[in-house]
Amino acid sequence: MNIRRVASFGVIFAAVAVVPAAVNVGQAQATAGSEPRVSSLDADLRERIDSIAKQVIQLRGIPSASIAVVKGGKLAYTQAYGKAHLDPAVMATPGMRYSIGSVSKQFTAAAILILQEQGKLSLDDAVGKYVPGLTRGDEVTIRQILSHTSGYQDYWPEDYLMTPMMKPHTAQQILDEWAKKPLDFEPDTKWQYSNTNFVIAGLIVEKVSGEKLMDFLGEHIFHPLGMKSVWNSDEVKLTSPDATPYIRAALGPLRLAPKEGRGWMFAAGELAMTAHDLALWDESLIAQSVLKPESYKEMFTEVKLKDGTGTHYGLGVEVTKRDGRRSIEHSGEVTGFVSDNEVLIDDDVAVAVLTNHMAGGAGDIAQLVAATVAGGGTQTDAEKQALSIYRDLQRGRIDRSLLAPNLNDYFSEQTVADFRDSLGPLGEPLTFKQVSEQLRGGMTFHAFRIVYPGKRLSVTTYTYPDGKLEQFLVDPVD
């Protein structure tokens, strides 16, 4: 269950409308709903989001994806794409649940912060105060387990399901096997992702609250936010109306994914829900409506190591910047499901993406959509002109009134045809962004980056003071 992000392209939000039938999760009730499909975005932005999702799904070979987009701090769009079940074929709908894997960790972290607000524990308490018998449990703190700086060894770094994990296990057994070994490093000297940390955190929540983790989350988070679809997939597998998980061996066909044995995911990755409901949680992160302001500050602040090195991680969330924007995010993976949740916290934008295949495309969709939603209306004049020329060349035409004599000569009939034949099939870019500007040779140089799923291109231009273009070149980016 390796959830640390791999390289991907952008940010997206997925929301779900129709919620499946009621189920019991421990004592927390996940009730049915009939949310209407959400769509308050303009048609052009919806088309761009749909294009991103469909292209990434096709490129990655993902059976289906469900997305939810938050804009202006409010849920603005939900959509589902592809097939949630392959045989017999069933199309995905926004009401279907998917496992969210390690996106669950931010809910466990929030539960700890709620208990701190209640005066029942402190982030700086030693974990051994609540869970006895752990290696150096009198030194390792709750803050360190929530930030992956504890040194406890990860019990599930693999990206596949091992045979022993198909049988039931308990949280205590996990700790007996992995949290009683010598630490991998001295606390606060390294950052290392470890699911074991959050098993400890979940047991602390249960010990201090006197409730099952799911019941505590239901009482303080899920029910107040109206997250009706939440399901404990560690206890009971998803039902037939929900998305079906798939895996692939090498480049082989998609096959049904095996199910983890009961108890293995617990507080590290137990939750399943619709993208719609995950977006309701994102709304609360933006509005800071569940926790106190000081708790959100704790959660969203990058934890530093003893030597001052940043970890890009807060408490249960990754803390990074996307094109200069502060992003609170996390990906998730359990067998047959991959998710990505991105919140551009200062832009009131969020994107939740849930998929039913371990192909890694959720992060691509999420990042690209978030950037598209947050970046709407901010395109520079240079970007507008360059994108317009690029689109024209894709169609085999060029406005020669924009060209200086040298560039006019460069764009011969054959050159224009080559641009058309090579760029036209790529379709509309996912993103088209200026990355640099400088003066050179009496002209203004601009560099732009174009992103397609699995492909990046650069556009470079030189412009004279009178506005005429001396260069317009398109090249692949390594």
Side-chain angles (χ1 to χ4, degrees), residues 116 121-127 139-144 298:
Q116 179 173 255
L121 56 71
S122 166
L123 288 174
D124 296 315
D125 286 343
V127 295
E139 301 173 53
V140 176
T141 67
I142 296 174
R143 187 187 304 275
Q144 289 165 343
E298 295 266 23

Side-chain angles (χ1 to χ4, degrees), residues 52-117:
I52 290 169
K54 291 173 182 178
Q55 287 189 56
V56 173
I57 287 171
Q58 182 177 12
L59 175 77
R60 297 283 190 173
I62 299 168
S64 74
S66 183
I67 70 168
V69 177
V70 174
K71 188 174 188 292
K74 299 296 181 183
L75 181 58
Y77 188 56
T78 67
Q79 188 57 279
Y81 313 85
K83 296 176 181 178
H85 189 78
L86 298 181
D87 187 19
V90 177
M91 302 306 294
T93 68
M96 292 177 172
R97 285 176 284 217
Y98 294 67
S99 290
I100 67 170
S102 282
V103 177
S104 304
K105 288 180 171 65
Q106 57 201 263
F107 293 96
T108 303
I112 291 284
L113 289 166
I114 290 169
L115 290 170
Q116 179 173 255
E117 291 175 1

Side-chain angles (χ1 to χ4, degrees), residues 124-158:
D124 296 315
D125 286 343
V127 295
K129 181 177 179 179
Y130 308 102
V131 182
L134 306 183
T135 299
R136 297 173 63 176
D138 57 341
E139 301 173 53
V140 176
T141 67
I142 296 174
R143 187 187 304 275
Q144 289 165 343
I145 62 171
L146 295 182
S147 61
H148 297 300
T149 58
S150 68
Y152 286 118
Q153 189 173 104
D154 188 6
Y155 72 88
W156 193 359
E158 298 88 349

Side-chain angles (χ1 to χ4, degrees), residues 123-452:
L123 288 174
D124 296 315
D125 286 343
V127 295
K129 181 177 179 179
Y130 308 102
V131 182
L134 306 183
T135 299
R136 297 173 63 176
D138 57 341
E139 301 173 53
V140 176
T141 67
I142 296 174
R143 187 187 304 275
Q144 289 165 343
I145 62 171
L146 295 182
S147 61
H148 297 300
T149 58
S150 68
Y152 286 118
Q153 189 173 104
D154 188 6
Y155 72 88
W156 193 359
E158 298 88 349
D159 291 309
Y160 69 99
L161 185 62
M162 295 77 72
T163 302
M165 297 183 69
M166 296 180 188
K167 298 178 181 180
H169 220 54
T170 67
Q172 188 59 53
Q173 285 176 311
I174 291 172
L175 299 189
D176 288 343
E177 294 174 48
W178 279 275
K180 295 183 179 180
K181 295 181 177 182
L183 299 182
D184 281 357
F185 52 85
E186 287 294 308
D188 280 339
T189 64
K190 293 183 181 180
W191 185 94
Q192 181 175 283
Y193 193 91
S194 175
N195 291 288
T196 307
N197 287 320
F198 277 78
V199 173
I200 299 170
L203 288 179
I204 290 174
V205 172
E206 295 191 340
K207 177 70 177 290
V208 174
S209 70
E211 301 178 61
K212 290 292 186 181
L213 176 61
M214 286 297 297
D215 294 342
F216 187 86
L217 292 174
E219 177 185 355
H220 294 279
I221 297 176
F222 304 145
H223 296 162
L225 293 179
M227 298 171 64
K228 300 176 183 178
S229 71
V230 176
W231 182 279
N232 185 349
S233 61
D234 191 38
E235 291 288 328
V236 183
K237 69 182 295 185
L238 288 171
T239 62
S240 56
D242 297 311
T244 299
Y246 291 96
I247 58 173
R248 173 183 279 122
L251 303 180
L254 289 169
R255 300 191 186 280
L256 290 173
K259 176 74 174 70
E260 304 86 356
R262 183 178 179 183
W264 280 104
M265 294 186 292
F266 186 45
E270 79 280 26
L271 299 179
M273 63 187 70
T274 62
H276 173 279
D277 281 6
L278 185 51
L280 295 181
W281 165 249
D282 292 338
E283 284 187 353
S284 79
L285 295 181
I286 292 169
Q288 299 196 1
S289 61
V290 171
L291 308 177
K292 294 180 179 179
E294 54 265 34
S295 293
Y296 285 108
K297 184 177 180 180
E298 295 266 23
M299 178 181 274
F300 297 162
T301 298
E302 179 187 35
V303 171
K304 301 290 182 68
L305 302 178
K306 281 184 178 179
D307 65 2
T309 302
T311 62
H312 302 294
Y313 206 90
L315 304 181
V317 292
E318 293 184 63
V319 180
T320 187
K321 286 199 171 180
R322 300 268 180 214
D323 295 325
R325 294 180 166 101
R326 189 163 59 118
S327 179
I328 305 302
E329 59 192 54
H330 215 287
S331 55
E333 175 189 308
V334 293
T335 310
F337 290 105
V338 171
S339 64
D340 199 87
N341 193 48
E342 312 247 354
V343 184
L344 302 185
I345 202 71
D346 300 322
D347 295 87
D348 297 340
V349 167
V351 176
V353 181
L354 312 179
T355 69
N356 61 335
H357 176 41
M358 297 169 71
D364 299 345
I365 297 171
Q367 292 173 37
L368 285 165
V369 172
T372 298
V373 175
T378 62
Q379 204 173 39
T380 67
D381 289 341
E383 285 172 336
K384 291 176 183 176
Q385 183 190 59
L387 178 57
S388 177
I389 293 170
Y390 180 85
R391 286 169 170 162
D392 276 352
L393 286 167
Q394 286 184 297
R395 299 176 177 90
R397 60 187 187 227
I398 183 78
D399 182 353
R400 296 188 178 276
S401 69
L402 301 174
L403 312 183
N406 287 332
L407 189 57
N408 187 59
D409 291 343
Y410 169 81
F411 275 115
S412 65
E413 182 177 339
Q414 182 62 65
T415 299
V416 172
D418 287 347
F419 270 69
R420 178 198 64 210
D421 294 343
S422 62
L423 300 179
L426 297 178
E428 183 68 9
L430 299 180
T431 61
F432 191 109
K433 185 174 181 60
Q434 180 177 310
V435 293
S436 68
E437 176 182 338
Q438 63 188 49
L439 296 177
R440 184 177 176 186
M443 297 174 286
T444 301
F445 170 82
H446 290 100
F448 306 90
R449 181 64 48 83
I450 303 175
V451 173
Y452 289 97

